[in-house]
């Protein structure tokens, strides 16, 4: 992906894109980072904040790859924040800005369960979670289930009415187990507005899916 896709932070993107992703996870690739960037810039345009800190946070928020079913998953954002600090220090960034980027990356993750305290961190968390709901969020859910070897659903009890939810075994369990919960946790007013629409799309995906099985 070209750096000019990250306008007006093309120069920053050109420097950081080579470090932005690891591995072959198509749900956390440069296309994902670009979608999160677009979400973040849309929220930033309404909510404010430091655009350069936000752009760097977006570009590096998944710079360490940890699979969803890895026991280290809850540590992924901490590892990415540490790597980002090293990269930005090499670029001779101000320490206060490095700390701001690290905090945003650390707190963006649902798995880390750490509350964001700065505006930039709140925007990054909202922007990343927007990509987990809606049509793209549904597609990513099924993609990740395929990587993990999960079935699409339990044919005997698709909605887990008489069994515990298990999103490691069944893809659509992840909707109820996590995805439907995300819209209630958005940090900014703009993020909440965008999340409402995408949450409704996600509900429609599951409704249509169930209608076909």
């Amino acid at each position: 992906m070209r750096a000019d896709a990250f306008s007006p932070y093309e120069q920053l993107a050109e420097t950081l894109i080579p470090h932005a992703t690891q591995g072959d996870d198509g749900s956390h690739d440069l296309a994902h980072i670009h979608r999160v960037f677009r979400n973040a810039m849309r929220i930033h345009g309404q909510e404010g904040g430091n655009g350069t800190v936000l752009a760097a946070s977006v570009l590096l928020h998944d710079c360490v790859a940890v699979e969803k079913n890895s026991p280290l998953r809850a540590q992924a954002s901490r590892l990415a924040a540490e790597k980002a600090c090293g990269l930005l220090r090499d670029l001779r960034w101000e320490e206060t800005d490095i700390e701001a980027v690290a905090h945003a990356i650390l707190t963006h993750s649902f798995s880390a369960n750490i509350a964001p305290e700065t505006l930039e961190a709140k925007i990054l968390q909202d922007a990343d979670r927007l990509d987990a709901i809606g049509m793209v969020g549904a597609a990513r859910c099924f993609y990740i289930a395929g990587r993990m070897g999960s079935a699409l659903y339990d044919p005997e009890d698709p909605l887990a009415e008489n069994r515990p939810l298990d999103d490691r075994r069944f893809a659509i369990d992840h909707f109820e187990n996590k995805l439907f919960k995300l819209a209630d946790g958005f940090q900014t007013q703009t993020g909440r507005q965008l999340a409402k629409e995408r949450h409704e799309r996600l509900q429609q995906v599951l409704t249509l899916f169930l209608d076909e099985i």
Side-chain angles (χ1 to χ4, degrees), residues 8-9 37-55 119-120 123-124 127 188 190-191 194:
Y9 301 99
F37 176 80
R38 291 180 63 188
N39 293 338
M41 291 299 105
R42 186 172 180 181
I43 298 170
H44 168 60
Q46 297 296 318
E47 305 284 342
N50 185 316
T52 302
V53 165
L54 181 59
L119 179 56
E120 294 78 19
I123 293 174
L124 175 60
T188 67
T190 306
L194 296 170

Side-chain angles (χ1 to χ4, degrees), residues 25-108:
D25 182 355
S27 68
H28 294 89
D29 56 5
L30 278 176
H32 162 69
I33 289 172
H34 183 244
R35 292 191 303 271
V36 174
F37 176 80
R38 291 180 63 188
N39 293 338
M41 291 299 105
R42 186 172 180 181
I43 298 170
H44 168 60
Q46 297 296 318
E47 305 284 342
N50 185 316
T52 302
V53 165
L54 181 59
S57 301
V58 170
L59 285 159
L60 296 176
H61 79 279
D62 281 336
C63 65
V64 173
V66 180
E67 290 284 355
K68 288 288 186 181
N69 57 354
S70 168
L72 295 177
R73 183 60 196 169
Q75 301 299 317
S77 64
R78 178 184 61 80
L79 296 171
E82 291 173 355
K83 180 177 176 180
C85 285
L87 291 169
L88 296 178
R89 287 193 180 106
D90 288 344
L91 295 173
R92 303 198 179 280
W93 273 44
E94 295 289 337
E95 195 64 29
T96 53
D97 289 338
I98 294 174
E99 291 173 1
V101 170
H103 174 71
I105 294 173
L106 176 65
T107 60
H108 89 275

Side-chain angles (χ1 to χ4, degrees), residues 101-191:
V101 170
H103 174 71
I105 294 173
L106 176 65
T107 60
H108 89 275
S109 169
F110 184 87
S111 302
N113 195 29
I114 303 172
E117 297 179 359
T118 65
L119 179 56
E120 294 78 19
K122 291 176 181 179
I123 293 174
L124 175 60
Q125 187 181 99
D126 282 3
D128 187 60
R129 292 187 182 185
L130 282 171
D131 205 50
I133 56 179
M135 299 300 293
V136 170
R140 293 176 73 212
C141 173
F142 290 122
Y143 171 88
I144 292 167
R147 284 179 68 88
M148 292 170 55
S150 305
L152 290 177
Y153 61 97
D154 179 353
E156 295 183 357
D157 188 3
L159 289 177
E161 295 173 328
N162 298 297
R163 63 173 176 83
L165 289 166
D166 186 352
D167 56 3
R168 294 200 176 198
R169 292 183 64 200
F170 307 114
I172 67 168
D173 282 24
H174 196 58
F175 283 63
E176 191 64 44
N177 213 32
K178 176 183 175 182
L179 302 184
F180 285 154
K181 300 175 182 177
L182 293 179
D184 290 333
F186 276 68
Q187 301 288 330
T188 67
Q189 180 62 33
T190 306

